[in-house]
Structure formats: C-alpha cells, structure tokens
Amino acid sequence: MDFLKSAVASAIAKGPAFPYSFGDRVDLDPSIWTLYNGTRREDGSNCSIFSFDVTANKARLPLARNALKKLRTLRHPGVIKVLDTVETESYIYIATERLVPLRWHVKRKSLSPETLKWGLFNIARTIKFINDEASSVHGSLKVASIFTSESGEWKLGGFEVLSNVKDDDAIIYNYGSLVPDAARYTPPELARNGWDAIKRSNHWVVDSFNFGVLIYEAFNGDFAGSDQAGQTKNVPPTMQTGYKRLVNANPKARISVANFLDMGQRHGAFFDSPLIKLTDGIEKLGVKTEDERESFLEDLNDLTDDFPEDFFKMKVLPELLKSVEFGGGGPKAFGIVMKIGTKLSNDDFEAKVTPVVIRLFANPDRGIRVCLLDNLPLMIDRFTNRIVNDKIFPQVVGGFTDIAPIVREQTLKSVLVFVPKLSDRTINGELLRYLAKTANDEQPGIRTNTTICLGKIAKNLGTSSRSKVLIAAFSRSLRDPFVHARNAALLALAATVEHFTPEDIATRILPAICAVLLDKEKLVRDQATKTMDIFMQRIRKAAAAMPDSVLPPPAVAEANGAARMSTPQPDANNGAGGSGGGWAGWAISSFTNKLSAAAGEIEPGATGTPPAATTPATTAPPSSRPTMHSTASASTLHRQAVRSPSATQPMSRNSSSSNVGGDSFFADGADDADAAAEDDAWGAMDDSFGDDGGDAWGNDDAGSDENSDPFSAKPVKKTTTATSSRTASGSGGVQPFGDDDAEPDFAGWLAAQEAKKKSNIAGGGKILPKGLSKTGGASSSSSRVPSTSRPVAKPAVKPAAKPAAKPVAKKINLAPKDDDDADGWGDGW
C-alpha cells in the first residue's frame, strides 16, 4: 500500500499539477479504476479519486478515456459530480465528490426497503435521461457502477462504454465485452449475437435488462447470472410486475426504464412514497405556495425513522433551515429540523444547526421563539456553556417581559433546561431578577410555575443567598389568592427543607405555614399539615442536639454573687395541688421573697412634713416577724408586696433602688407555701401597677396625689408612736404602716387605693379592665387604721430635696404596658 502511494506520488510529481492528496484505497468490484479517498489541498475538503494506470492496463485505455469524456460532458443530478481531471501518458486521475460504493451497503444490507426504492427511483430517472434526452445507452448498469454520495444519494458511474447510438463507431460495439464482469450482466440477446445486436432493436433494451438485474441485486445482495433474472425473491410485491417485464428474455417484450418509472409513480404504486415525494420536492420548497409547503411539511413529518440520515443531513436539513429562517416554513419546519438533528453528530450539529438557531433566537417572531423553547430539551446538550451564556440566554431573557403570556410561560419553563449550562453569576444575578418579576405576574399560572421553578433550581442557587431568596419567594406565594400557587409553595418548601437552617425554620418558615393550616381550601390545608410535619421533624432533631441550658450551674452562680431566684423543681410538691403552685410558682415565690426584704426596709414617718433622710444602716429590722390579721390572705400579702403605698408615706429610695436586681429583691426569707396561696394573685398584681397612669416603680415627675409615685419620697428617720397617731388622725390619710411593733396594714392601704380609683372614675379616669378584682375593702382593713373613701390630700409642704452627697441609683421602669394592649400580654411575652 505504501509502495502504491509512493508510486502515485512520484507519477504526480512528473505530470501536471493535481491539487488533491491521495488517502486510503477503497475496495471495489472488478473495475478498470482504482478508487482512493482524497482531500483537496486548498481547503481540506473530502473527495474521491479514480485512478487509471495506463502502463499496467493499456488494453482498456479506450474505456478509461471514454469514461473521462462522458463524465466531463454529461451533467445530471444523478451522475457523479466531477471536480477535476488529469490525463497523462502514464495515468488518468478523476477527482469527484466523496463517494462510497453501493456494494458496501448491499453486502451489509444496511438500507431499508424504502431507501432502496428511493435509490432505484433516482437511478431510473438518470437512465431515462441518458436513454431519452441523451439518446445514449449506458451498457454497464449494475451495483458496481453505482455509488452513494455524502448525502446518501445514489450516483451513477461506470461510463466506460456509454455511447450515443447515433454514432456508428460507438465504443460499446467494439469494447463492450472488455468491461469487467460483462458476461455476468450481458442481456441474453447480446450474449448470443454479440454487441452489434443493439443496432437491431431499441437502444434502451440493454439498459432495461440491466436495470431489472439491479433491482434483484439491490434486494438480494448478489446476482450470479442471467438465470436469476426474473426471480422475485425479496422484491416488493408492488414492483414485481414491472420488474419481470424489464428482464424479459425477448427484447421486444421489454419495457423501457422510462415506462417502469411511470408505472411506479402512479397513485399507490411502488414509487409513490413519502420519502420519494420529499426528495423530489425539497429543492423546490422555497418556491412552493403556502398550501403546497404546508402539505409538503405534513408529508415530511409523517416519515418514519428509517429515512436515509445522510440525505436528510446534507440535503433536507439545509433546505428546511432556509425555509424556517427566510422562506416562511415556521415552527412546523423547525420541528422536522429537530427530528433530523437528533441523528446528527455533535460536530455536524454545531456546524449546520447551531448558527441558525442562534440567529432564530434573535427573531422577533413569537411563533418561532415558542417553537425554539419547546424544542430546547432536544438541542441544549449540543450547545457549549459559552454559547448558552454569551449568545443564546441573552436573547431568551426578553421573553420574561413579553406581552404575550404564552411566551412568558414558555420562557419560564425553559429555565430548568438552561440552568445546568448557566454560570453562577448569571443564575444568581440576571436570572433571579427576572424570576422576581414573574413571581408577581398577573397570570396566576405563571406565578405558580415560578414557585415550582425556584424549588427545582434551589440547588443551583448561591449558598449565601439561597435561603433568603427561597423564604421570601415561598412566603409570598403562601399568601397568593390562587389556590395552586399556595399549594406549590408548600410543596416547594417541603422539597427544599435541607436548604434551611433550624433558626430559619423556627422563626420564619413555620409561622408562614401556620397561616395556611386553616386555609379555605382542603388541598392547601392537607399539604400544609404534611409540610409542617416535615419541618417539625427537622426542628425536633435540632432541639435534641441542643444543651439543656446555657446558664451556669447554681454553685458557680452563688460563687459569683449572682442573684438567686426560687424556681420550682419537678418534685411531688410542685404538682397541681402542691405548694409549688405549678408553672406560676416561681413568680409568686419571687414576690414573696421581695415582701420579706421590703418589710424590713420601709419605715413609718409623719405625713405632711418632709422627713429627714437616713441611711439603711440606721434602719433596724423588726425584732420579730409581723402577725397578719385573720382577714388578710397570703395572696393579699402578695398583692400588697407589689402594690405602691400612698404618696404620703416615704420610702428609702436608696435601699429600694439598690435592691432591684440585688440579692435582697429575690431573697429567700418568704415562705414558699405563702407564695402560692390564691389564683387571683395575677389580677391583684395588675391592680398595683397604677391604672391611673402613674409609674409604680419610681417616676419622680408625678404632679398630683393620684399620679404621684408612692415609692418616690425620701427616706425618713424612725418616729414615735405619737407621731404615727398624729399622722393618721391629723392628715385624714391612710397610714399603711403603724408603730414599730405593729404589723404593716396592707389592707388599709389597698382600701385607700381603691377609693382613689373610684374618685378617678368619677372624675373621668380609666375604668379597670375586666377581671381585675377590687380586693381589700373596708372589711379587710385593720381596726386601728381608719378607712376613708377619698384619696389622701396633697402634702402641704413639698418633700425636701435629695441630699447632694447621696448618689441616686438608676431607676428601672418595670411598669406593664398601657391598658390599650388588647391581649394583655404585649411585647414582653
């Protein structure tokens, strides 16, 4: 093989320039030619080269020269296309389009019956042209004389003895028998009488017999001799009648190839097939009327998958693309393009289809755009990421804002196809901006599809903004008036649960889902319950991994001097009927602790005269625990512990202020059993926070007795019993604390507060909220302290100024919310 190539190269070097390079040798049936695959040096395009060695086969040189002459002069679509020729004394080269011998396909039986019919149809038309228009006879028609081009079309060659019958010295008469395998394919009359017998009958009878042999050979693979002529094995039934008349032993009874062609083109005959109609009309597609084009495309779409791929790739596809882009073929023609494109290699698709598709995406025709988006899944894998990001997707995004809803919807659906090819920057930037617009679209279906789309591309979103985008989008969809949009949001949340942190689930997602647990539509309610269960499983798993508490142990807290609060423990005394008071036990216990500390800090003083300040060190605690009246319950003590005394009673500011947050405020001196006595302690505590608008915890700007701070007066020195009696009888007010040895009268002080509230109501003050009991009336008052129905009068003399040297502790406003809080819990809960 290498020797042959070198010999050919040396021969070319001695002769005229031949701008083609020889490649591999192609196997042929017995022939005077040697066939090579070649390439054109100028552009590297493929070709085939027929080579004839003059010195090695000088006897058949007239046959080679006749073939060269006829190929140069005979022009027909069914004839091999010649690119260049070279003839010297030592060789003849004919460069043609790239060809493959038909024998290869026949041996492998790789052609379907419809494709065989289509090929025979093309050869029949070519023979008709040679016999009728050229008044010639081929003389060597057989499988070895036929080749297939890159488009799969059958091309006729073997022109060694092609002759014009009008020429008396035609080569066929003298050299017909020199053609290789001539004896096997020679008609019976020529075998008996010689080639001159052609002159005594119609010139086309030779080609008619040979065409009949070609039919048998194409469907059966081989032809042994004239004895097989007329056998119908594997020949289509519709073709058998015409086939027998072609191979009739009597030349006068034979029909011409032209007659056989006419028979086959009748309605319902063997050449009346969609494939043949397609190939016959594809080149005229651009000049067809709209109705003709529509009918042609319908027939083309009905083709099965056994059509010749090469022909569709090389011939049909370019014509269809031109029809789609310029000829008005529209979406139907593009659908056929995609059907053909699935059988193309990536290189062929990129070379033939991709440039046209890029131009079509820029086409403003909405029908074309929708068709492109519909067929996008069939071709997206053929595009590189760079082409999608730089050339296709920038043209597609215009569909998100198109005025036609169908274009917006198809553009939205195409996102799922585009996302694997898009860069992270495009997804998290441009794409999300457009999805935010479609999420607010006027069409409910587009809004719903946007939610579905976001759920499916969640894994492609950036981790830094993924949860934020999804929560915002799905929460909005949960409020959508369209039922399927809400349901889609719940489904999307359930599908993307792994993308959310437990904190996001607890604080943002679950509250949004709770809003649709009682949706008006059962579809939404059921899905909301399922989605809630999914997220609650995630929350339970996260909560199980958390520590029991982040507070330091009690031993560490006591070592650090931290405030200690009596908290109920989960023991037998903390049950529903135990002394712990259930879940409210700790709060009542704390107030009792405060009572124990405050009882030893507040001292009696004269009303109406500013008492002198004293330090906490000079205030001696009572020698024994005071004994309460039988009419006062433990809950009354609790209320009075947090209720403000009247403005006429001074209190040590320094001691009370410093105790807020200190050990004495949550002291353990009170008995836990007293702390949980009655259930109405909550209402009594609310009473003590001053419904008249005052601050029960130390505002210094009170201007009247009703609004004054009971705990805002300066601390006073210890006074005598006479002073206390004089205060009670002389001022007409209520003194909550008696002598040093007497018990503190919280009930009397409470009665005075209720009298003030009645006075406020009469004067236009606020009405107590429902449920707050007015406890501690006259029946609860101590006999030693008179109860009045009017509020305590304003002191005649303003309190003395604070000592300059005594620092004042920072006040903490612990007052509850205003009464306009309807639910009673407010933000503090």
Side-chain angles (χ1 to χ4, degrees):
M1 183 67 187
D2 294 337
F3 171 77
L4 181 60
K5 288 184 178 180
S6 62
V8 171
S10 61
I12 293 174
K14 298 178 181 177
F18 189 64
Y20 298 90
S21 300
F22 285 78
D24 299 331
R25 180 177 175 174
V26 179
D27 293 332
L28 284 175
D29 284 344
S31 175
I32 68 172
W33 302 97
T34 303
L35 181 61
Y36 296 93
N37 289 329
T39 55
R40 188 175 183 178
R41 295 194 187 102
E42 182 180 356
D43 55 7
S45 59
N46 295 328
C47 68
S48 291
I49 302 175
F50 289 89
S51 173
F52 179 79
D53 189 355
V54 176
T55 57
N57 202 1
K58 199 168 186 179
R60 293 176 174 174
L61 179 59
L63 299 177
R65 286 179 175 173
N66 185 71
L68 176 63
K69 177 182 177 181
K70 297 302 181 180
L71 284 172
R72 283 175 174 175
T73 57
L74 193 63
R75 299 294 181 182
H76 189 271
V79 175
I80 293 173
K81 182 180 180 181
V82 177
L83 302 178
D84 202 353
T85 61
V86 172
E87 181 180 2
T88 66
E89 293 181 357
S90 57
Y91 60 84
I92 297 175
Y93 297 144
I94 304 175
T96 67
E97 59 183 320
R98 176 59 67 88
L99 301 171
V100 174
L102 179 62
R103 177 68 68 184
W104 289 14
H105 302 290
V106 171
K107 280 186 176 181
R108 296 195 302 265
K109 296 183 179 181
S110 59
L111 301 178
S112 66
E114 289 300 317
T115 304
L116 289 173
K117 289 180 183 180
W118 169 63
L120 291 171
F121 173 78
N122 289 332
I123 296 300
R125 288 196 306 178
T126 305
I127 293 297
K128 177 185 177 182
F129 170 77
I130 291 174
N131 292 157
D132 296 347
E133 280 79 5
S135 302
S136 301
V137 57
H138 186 279
S140 184
L141 184 59
K142 53 189 175 184
V143 169
S145 302
I146 300 173
F147 303 85
T148 59
S149 66
E150 288 184 303
S151 63
E153 296 174 277
W154 290 18
K155 300 289 185 175
L156 182 61
F159 287 171
E160 289 80 9
V161 293
L162 190 148
S163 303
N164 190 324
V165 294
K166 296 178 181 180
D167 187 359
D168 293 336
D169 296 329
I171 194 173
I172 192 172
Y173 302 136
N174 300 318
Y175 292 93
S177 59
L178 295 179
V179 176
D181 268 349
R184 185 154 48 118
Y185 295 96
T186 301
E189 69 273 10
L190 296 185
R192 292 191 305 264
N193 302 319
W195 289 87
D196 286 341
I198 298 176
K199 298 177 181 179
R200 295 190 290 269
S201 61
N202 293 320
H203 66 281
W204 42 260
V205 295
V206 176
D207 291 339
S208 296
F209 182 86
N210 288 339
F211 188 80
V213 172
L214 175 64
I215 292 173
Y216 178 86
E217 198 171 15
F219 286 104
N220 291 278
D222 197 6
F223 180 74
S226 58
D227 294 340
Q228 289 182 333
Q231 295 182 6
T232 58
K233 179 182 178 181
N234 296 329
V235 177
T238 57
M239 193 182 289
Q240 290 179 3
T241 302
Y243 157 70
K244 289 180 179 180
R245 296 182 64 181
L246 286 172
V247 295
N248 195 302
N250 184 3
K252 293 182 180 180
R254 293 176 195 161
I255 61 174
S256 65
V257 175
N259 291 334
F260 180 79
L261 186 63
D262 292 338
M263 290 174 58
Q265 289 182 306
R266 295 172 185 172
H267 182 70
F270 46 87
F271 284 153
D272 185 21
S273 66
L275 180 58
I276 293 175
K277 289 180 179 180
L278 164 69
T279 58
D280 191 32
I282 188 64
E283 296 180 356
K284 302 176 183 178
L285 182 60
V287 296
K288 291 181 180 292
T289 64
E290 185 175 353
D291 293 338
E292 291 175 341
R293 183 171 58 248
E294 191 74 14
S295 176
F296 175 79
L297 293 176
E298 286 286 350
D299 294 338
L300 183 59
N301 194 40
D302 292 338
L303 285 177
T304 58
D305 292 337
D306 62 353
F307 56 76
E309 299 177 13
D310 293 335
F311 177 75
F312 274 67
K313 177 179 70 175
M314 301 297 295
K315 292 291 186 177
V316 178
L317 185 61
E319 294 296 330
L320 289 175
L321 288 173
K322 287 191 292 185
S323 177
V324 171
E325 192 171 6
F326 308 111
K332 183 173 291 186
F334 190 80
I336 302 174
V337 168
M338 287 295 98
K339 184 177 180 180
I340 300 171
T342 56
K343 296 182 177 294
L344 299 179
S345 65
N346 290 336
D347 293 339
D348 289 337
F349 192 93
E350 183 177 358
K352 299 177 182 298
V353 180
T354 299
V356 179
V357 170
I358 293 174
R359 292 194 297 269
L360 289 176
F361 268 112
N363 194 320
D365 190 318
R366 290 190 176 92
I368 293 294
R369 180 179 291 273
V370 172
C371 180
L372 288 170
L373 296 175
D374 285 340
N375 289 277
L376 190 62
L378 299 177
M379 55 183 174
I380 189 64
D381 293 334
R382 306 297 189 101
F383 301 139
T384 63
N385 293 1
R386 183 174 182 180
I387 290 177
V388 172
N389 279 275
D390 297 344
K391 297 182 179 179
I392 296 181
F393 190 72
Q395 303 291 342
V396 171
V397 295
F400 286 112
T401 56
D402 197 281
I403 61 174
I406 187 173
V407 177
R408 299 199 302 272
E409 184 172 5
Q410 288 301 121
T411 305
L412 178 61
K413 291 180 179 179
S414 70
V415 169
L416 300 180
V417 183
F418 275 119
V419 160
K421 294 282 185 177
L422 296 178
S423 64
D424 292 340
R425 181 177 180 181
T426 303
I427 294 174
N428 295 285
E430 188 174 10
L431 177 59
L432 286 183
R433 286 199 300 270
Y434 283 106
L435 291 181
K437 294 181 180 179
T438 56
N440 297 322
D441 197 274
E442 61 182 9
Q443 297 292 328
I446 295 178
R447 298 197 303 268
T448 304
N449 286 336
T450 302
T451 302
I452 297 172
C453 177
L454 281 171
K456 290 186 176 182
I457 68 171
K459 60 181 180 296
N460 301 103
L461 300 179
T463 55
S464 61
S465 60
R466 178 190 296 149
S467 60
K468 179 180 179 181
V469 171
L470 296 181
I471 293 174
F474 297 159
S475 298
R476 183 182 184 89
S477 295
L478 287 174
R479 302 190 300 270
D480 197 293
F482 188 51
V483 56
H484 296 290
R486 301 195 297 274
N487 189 57
L490 293 169
L491 292 171
L493 281 169
T496 57
V497 61
E498 70 274 8
H499 299 307
F500 305 113
T501 63
E503 290 75 14
D504 286 337
I505 294 174
T507 60
R508 303 182 66 184
I509 297 178
L510 290 180
I513 297 176
C514 289
V516 292
L517 286 173
L518 294 178
D519 194 272
K520 296 180 179 178
E521 300 294 334
K522 186 177 185 300
L523 173 69
V524 179
R525 294 195 302 271
D526 293 345
Q527 186 57 47
T529 303
K530 296 177 183 178
T531 305
M532 177 71 78
D533 292 341
I534 293 174
F535 279 98
M536 285 305 300
Q537 291 177 6
R538 182 84 182 275
I539 286 295
R540 294 187 189 102
K541 183 177 180 181
M546 296 177 65
D548 293 342
S549 176
V550 296
L551 298 175
V556 177
E558 291 178 0
N560 295 334
R564 187 163 57 88
M565 180 173 64
S566 177
T567 304
Q569 301 300 321
D571 54 14
N573 295 330
N574 233 4
S579 61
W583 66 273
W586 69 268
I588 299 174
S589 174
S590 300
F591 286 121
T592 307
N593 295 342
K594 177 177 179 287
L595 170 63
S596 175
E601 294 171 354
I602 303 177
E603 299 297 335
T607 302
T609 59
T614 181
T615 61
T618 61
T619 305
S623 59
S624 62
R625 183 173 179 179
T627 302
M628 304 304 295
H629 288 283
S630 60
T631 58
S633 65
S635 61
T636 307
L637 295 178
H638 301 159
R639 298 188 197 103
Q640 293 165 351
V642 298
R643 187 180 292 278
S644 303
S646 64
T648 59
Q649 176 60 39
M651 173 182 173
S652 175
R653 174 178 298 274
N654 295 336
S655 62
S656 63
S657 299
S658 62
N659 286 336
V660 176
D663 288 340
S664 62
F665 187 80
F666 296 105
D668 293 315
D671 190 356
D672 288 341
D674 295 336
E678 291 189 20
D679 293 337
D680 62 346
W682 293 98
M685 280 194 297
D686 289 341
D687 251 350
S688 68
F689 287 127
D691 290 340
D692 54 1
D695 188 351
W697 298 102
N699 290 331
D700 292 334
D701 56 354
S704 64
D705 187 49
E706 290 88 343
N707 295 324
S708 62
D709 185 357
F711 292 164
S712 62
K714 302 300 182 291
V716 297
K717 296 179 180 179
K718 295 178 67 174
T719 58
T720 62
T721 303
T723 306
S724 177
S725 301
R726 185 173 60 250
T727 303
S729 60
S731 63
V734 177
Q735 177 63 43
F737 294 96
D739 297 336
D740 290 342
D741 296 333
E743 61 181 3
D745 189 3
F746 286 96
W749 173 80
L750 180 60
Q753 293 298 314
E754 291 179 352
K756 292 198 304 182
K757 291 173 184 176
K758 291 179 181 179
S759 176
N760 288 341
I761 294 173
K766 294 182 179 180
I767 300 175
L768 292 175
K770 182 178 179 180
L772 296 181
S773 60
K774 299 180 180 180
T775 59
S779 62
S780 302
S781 303
S782 173
S783 60
R784 289 173 292 175
V785 181
S787 175
T788 62
S789 61
R790 298 186 60 83
V792 180
K794 183 177 179 181
V797 182
K798 293 182 179 179
K802 301 177 186 177
K806 180 70 68 174
V808 180
K810 182 178 180 181
K811 296 175 291 184
I812 299 177
N813 187 1
L814 300 180
K817 288 188 68 175
D818 294 338
D819 289 337
D820 58 353
D821 188 359
D823 58 10
W825 297 107
D827 294 335
W829 179 255

